Amino acid sequence: MAEGSLPDLTTGAKRLADAAIAIRDAAGDSYLGLNHWPMALFERHAPMVDALLGGTDVDGMKKTLAAQLARRELGKALDKVAAAALAGEVARQRGKMQAAERDLAVALLQLAGYTLPAAVETPASAAQTAAGGAAAETAKTPMLDQFG
């Protein structure tokens, strides 16, 4: 799959990927790193990140991440195709055919090392539930489910 063609993502998720690339390009960085993605999330969807992370200091996290990016601490390389694959897995665990911004956010935040509350359905928690583990209570987000 070419970097410009991501049929597994909703339009909003594609825009989020484009925002991460724009952050990379604006800084003149040589590759799209893991740290570009949460910065795009913080800039475009701060309330969703706040909800996913359980009321953490998103502004403080954004400042810390901006400082890391300024020092060229980009994190490991993570292109659009790899990010789409991760988001697709989260979407499939939720029974969705297309990955939305929320799915991309969950996948990227987990990969970046952030801890998500048990109420957020992730591939790991869904696998635990399917394997007979404690059933995770998923957050009810009809607007996100409807519009991505």
Side-chain angles (χ1 to χ4, degrees), residues 14-139:
K14 288 178 185 177
R15 286 188 190 131
L16 181 57
D18 291 341
I21 290 169
I23 291 168
R24 176 205 61 195
D25 292 346
D29 294 329
S30 60
Y31 67 93
L32 185 59
L34 179 59
N35 288 342
H36 293 110
W37 291 94
M39 182 57 79
L41 280 170
F42 294 150
E43 289 180 358
R44 292 184 54 87
H45 298 294
M48 177 177 33
V49 173
D50 186 48
L52 287 172
L53 295 177
T56 59
D57 179 15
V58 173
D59 288 333
M61 293 167 66
K62 183 178 175 182
K63 288 176 186 174
T64 300
L65 192 56
Q68 289 175 330
L69 288 170
R71 292 189 303 266
R72 298 294 191 253
E73 296 172 11
L74 309 180
K76 68 180 182 177
L78 183 67
D79 66 12
K80 282 173 71 170
V81 174
L86 293 169
E89 181 59 29
V90 174
R92 281 187 288 284
Q93 295 295 334
R94 291 189 322 119
K96 304 291 181 181
M97 297 297 293
Q98 243 185 343
E101 292 102 321
R102 179 198 181 279
D103 303 311
L104 193 52
V106 167
L108 295 169
L109 291 171
Q110 281 187 311
L111 189 60
Y114 296 100
T115 302
L116 300 174
V120 177
E121 186 72 14
T122 64
S125 64
Q128 180 184 9
T129 301
E137 186 72 28
T138 58

